[in-house]
Amino acid sequence: MRGRGKLNAAMWVALLVAVLAGDQQIMGQSLLSRTVPTARPQCQWNNRPVWWLHVPKCGTSLINSLYRTVCPEGVEVKPQQTSRLLKKLIKAAGCQARFKMLRANHHPLPESRKTAKVAIVSFMREPLSRTVSGYLHGLHDCPWMIRQAARNHKPWAAKSKFTPEASQRLFVNTDPVAVLEYADCVSACATRMLTGHSCGSNTTRGASEEQVSRAVQRVRDEVAFVGITSRWDESVSAMWTYFGAQVPLTATYLANVRKQRREEDAVRAQVASILSNYTFIDTPVYHAAKVRFDAHRAACGGHGAGNSPVPKGSVN
């Protein structure tokens, strides 16, 4: 089983079994040394300032929905507005106090953040799908690989800044070594962001057992609302209800403006094949998010987007 993180196979099996079974005993100093509370869904927003934990490749378009559900006084927007413009609109509508973090870029949740004072909202994506998408999106959130590909350009350089040689190797030849290096860099992306670190790692790749345990705990007991990108319409609809939205749920707020490009399908399939047996450190966090979302639906009632005539969204 491939995976260069710090968790061995036995720990992965035990942790995944615990998460999927809803077991309260989760890995920490040892697999039985820490207690992680079971999910406690909140069916209604408690009016605390919203902190959007935006994990890369998990739906930037969500920023529009959060803006309109939390600030219904604001003007209608088109997908996808910039953080700068939304900040102006929020200020104009007098909604600043309702947000603690609403930006399209990717700010981690500080470990010191007193989560009882904010309402953390996040969407999670299956790690393989997220990694493939990030790879095709110019090695998204892996600064050291971007610098190499763009000849020491800024670590957030766009794919268009990559050298022709790098682009050929990465996105035409689909170099397996590069694919695996990228996976190593972002394998613990959500875990790291939930524990105060940036998504990609420049040096030590992966996360410690304690980080994984803490991230799982935050998803299951501290995050106010978590959605699942593969259930996009269902998750957005549930979030709409959670915030008691006073505006209609239209196609604008279910839309994804970064849809998959058909011309990338062949490379996408190759990258996914290379990573088919890879062990992602974020897997327990993703499963904890699914458990939490299912618990929310069970406790708070149905929110299926099937009741809406708008077309289903998708996440690139």
Side-chain angles (χ1 to χ4, degrees):
M1 184 179 292
R2 180 139 187 121
R4 304 178 188 178
K6 299 179 181 179
L7 309 183
N8 62 40
M11 291 177 178
W12 275 116
V13 172
L15 181 55
L16 283 173
V17 168
V19 171
L20 292 173
D23 195 329
Q24 294 187 16
Q25 294 287 322
I26 301 290
M27 179 191 69
Q29 300 296 336
S30 69
L31 288 172
L32 299 177
S33 65
R34 287 188 181 180
T35 298
V36 176
T38 53
R40 300 170 182 171
Q42 302 173 18
C43 295
Q44 187 175 1
W45 181 39
N46 55 18
N47 292 317
R48 291 170 182 160
V50 171
W51 181 296
W52 181 30
L53 181 64
H54 181 199
V55 178
K57 309 309 300 178
C58 290
T60 302
S61 308
L62 188 68
I63 194 170
N64 288 339
S65 291
L66 280 169
Y67 158 64
R68 285 292 278 163
T69 54
V70 179
C71 184
E73 301 94 331
V75 299
E76 185 83 11
V77 295
K78 299 178 181 180
Q80 162 183 341
Q81 299 300 336
T82 65
S83 302
R84 184 175 299 178
L85 176 58
L86 285 180
K87 184 177 180 180
K88 293 180 179 179
L89 295 177
I90 289 169
K91 183 177 181 179
C95 300
Q96 304 99 307
R98 301 177 200 170
F99 295 98
K100 189 65 178 180
M101 176 64 66
L102 186 67
R103 298 178 186 173
N105 45 7
H106 311 287
H107 289 268
L109 183 65
E111 182 61 36
S112 60
R113 165 60 56 189
K114 296 181 179 179
T115 55
K117 294 186 177 182
V118 294
I120 304 165
V121 176
S122 188
F123 273 41
M124 297 291 171
R125 184 171 181 176
E126 193 277 321
L128 173 59
S129 174
R130 201 197 69 77
T131 302
V132 172
S133 179
Y135 182 88
L136 292 174
H137 192 184
L139 308 177
H140 200 299
D141 266 83
C142 188
W144 72 267
M145 290 191 72
I146 293 174
R147 284 195 185 98
Q148 285 185 352
R151 287 182 179 169
N152 296 320
H153 202 276
K154 295 178 180 179
W156 54 87
K159 191 175 179 178
S160 60
K161 299 292 185 180
F162 289 9
T163 66
E165 297 80 8
S167 296
Q168 176 76 23
R169 179 173 65 90
L170 294 167
F171 308 117
V172 178
N173 299 338
T174 321
D175 179 15
V177 174
V179 172
L180 290 169
E181 285 180 338
Y182 178 73
D184 285 344
C185 185
V186 299
S187 174
C189 177
T191 298
R192 291 172 57 81
M193 291 189 69
L194 281 158
T195 54
H197 303 278
S198 59
C199 167
S201 174
N202 289 331
T203 53
T204 56
R205 304 172 190 176
S208 67
E209 300 170 20
E210 289 77 13
Q211 279 180 285
V212 177
S213 178
R214 176 63 174 141
V216 169
Q217 182 182 30
R218 278 193 144 178
V219 169
R220 297 182 65 187
D221 197 52
E222 297 181 25
V223 172
F225 180 88
V226 62
I228 304 298
T229 61
S230 62
R231 298 161 67 179
W232 182 263
D233 286 11
E234 182 184 5
S235 295
V236 173
S237 298
M239 187 187 75
W240 216 258
T241 302
Y242 167 77
F243 281 110
Q246 300 174 27
V247 293
L249 178 54
T250 64
T252 296
Y253 303 109
L254 285 168
N256 173 45
V257 299
R258 292 181 178 174
K259 296 182 179 180
Q260 296 181 2
R261 299 176 181 175
R262 291 188 176 181
E263 62 268 24
E264 294 179 338
D265 286 352
V267 179
R268 190 182 306 276
Q270 290 175 352
V271 175
S273 177
I274 293 168
L275 297 176
S276 60
N277 293 318
Y278 189 94
T279 302
F280 292 93
I281 292 175
D282 271 345
T283 300
V285 173
Y286 175 68
H287 281 291
K290 290 201 300 182
V291 169
R292 180 63 187 268
F293 183 63
D294 286 338
H296 179 95
R297 282 183 52 81
C300 307
H303 304 279
N307 296 327
S308 172
V310 297
K312 290 185 177 297
S314 61
V315 178
N316 179 16

